[in-house]
Amino acid sequence: MEFNEKLQQLRKSRGLTQEELAEALFVSRTAVSKWESGRGYPNIDSLKELSRFFSVKIDELICSEEIISAAENEKKEFIGKYLSFLCGALDVFMAVLLFIPVFGNGAGSAVSLFGLTGVSPWIKAVFLIVLCLTVLQGICAIVISRLDKPVWSRHGITAGMLLSIACSAVFLLTRQPYPGLICFAALVIKGFLALKAK
């Protein structure tokens, strides 16, 4: 008998609805529904709670192959959240480009973005827009990493990578190599983290 069938049987033997079981385990009803339909497995902590709640051993609830599958899924989710958080933190870090003197202002001097006078106002506005979008996206990625939304995390990582490419391109095309290199370094770090996560 599969885990989802065992869980349904145990829940019904106690006369509980999915919602009542979810409340007892402090999980969502959607999670219980997903487990019972065979679309996923509970994480290790939830397995322990199920075992305690129904007074059965974990290996009576779930076979070893299912435990391995559940552990692998939990590991993937953790890595995805961690990656999303780190990539978001790198994007938020780009806020330093607003204040540190890395922009060339002619005659070998470097100034912060707000002190930059050697470029046209619209280019300065583009710099500000791409940096602000990157920082906002980073904040969103950090918030999303705390939610249980792996699809959103993947989209956030992709958006962060695209914004890093845009920042690097904008700064390098306008002959601002230092901020361009900083953005490119952030892009390389994100790419390395994404490759390590796979």
Side-chain angles (χ1 to χ4, degrees):
M1 186 182 295
E2 297 290 319
F3 167 76
N4 60 325
E5 296 166 335
K6 291 176 190 173
L7 182 59
Q8 280 180 18
Q9 188 179 47
L10 287 168
R11 177 181 58 80
K12 289 177 181 176
S13 71
R14 289 262 182 107
L16 298 171
T17 64
Q18 286 183 347
E19 189 153 333
E20 290 168 336
L21 178 60
E23 287 175 12
L25 298 174
F26 301 104
V27 297
S28 68
R29 192 205 61 77
T30 308
V32 173
S33 173
K34 186 169 84 170
W35 302 339
E36 287 191 0
S37 66
R39 291 179 289 128
Y41 295 103
N43 62 29
I44 302 302
D45 292 332
S46 294
L47 273 174
K48 289 177 185 175
E49 283 299 310
L50 282 165
S51 171
R52 183 194 54 75
F53 184 78
F54 289 116
S55 302
V56 295
K57 293 180 182 177
I58 290 178
D59 58 349
E60 292 175 27
L61 271 176
I62 192 166
C63 71
S64 59
E65 292 85 23
E66 291 173 319
I67 290 174
I68 291 169
S69 177
E72 286 174 354
N73 288 341
E74 189 173 350
K75 180 181 173 186
K76 284 180 186 176
E77 284 180 24
F78 175 76
I79 288 172
K81 287 180 180 183
Y82 182 70
L83 178 63
S84 179
F85 178 82
L86 285 178
C87 289
L90 279 169
D91 288 340
V92 170
F93 175 75
M94 291 297 115
V96 301
L97 291 178
L98 297 170
F99 306 106
I100 61 172
V102 292
F103 290 90
N105 207 25
S109 65
V111 295
S112 70
L113 178 60
F114 297 115
L116 187 61
T117 58
V119 297
S120 68
W122 72 269
I123 290 177
K124 191 173 174 180
V126 169
F127 290 168
L128 188 61
I129 289 168
V130 294
L131 284 175
C132 288
L133 285 174
T134 301
V135 171
L136 285 173
Q137 194 285 324
I139 292 168
C140 291
I142 290 171
V143 170
I144 288 170
S145 73
R146 297 291 177 221
L147 303 174
D148 190 23
K149 305 288 184 187
V151 173
W152 290 6
S153 292
R154 283 193 300 275
H155 290 312
I157 292 166
T158 303
M161 297 276 247
L162 292 173
L163 281 167
S164 290
I165 291 169
C167 283
S168 298
V170 164
F171 292 132
L172 292 174
L173 289 173
T174 56
R175 297 186 181 155
Q176 295 292 337
Y178 297 122
L181 288 174
I182 291 170
C183 290
F184 184 73
L187 176 64
V188 169
I189 292 169
K190 288 182 209 176
F192 177 75
L193 290 171
L195 286 175
K196 287 296 253 184
K198 291 185 179 189

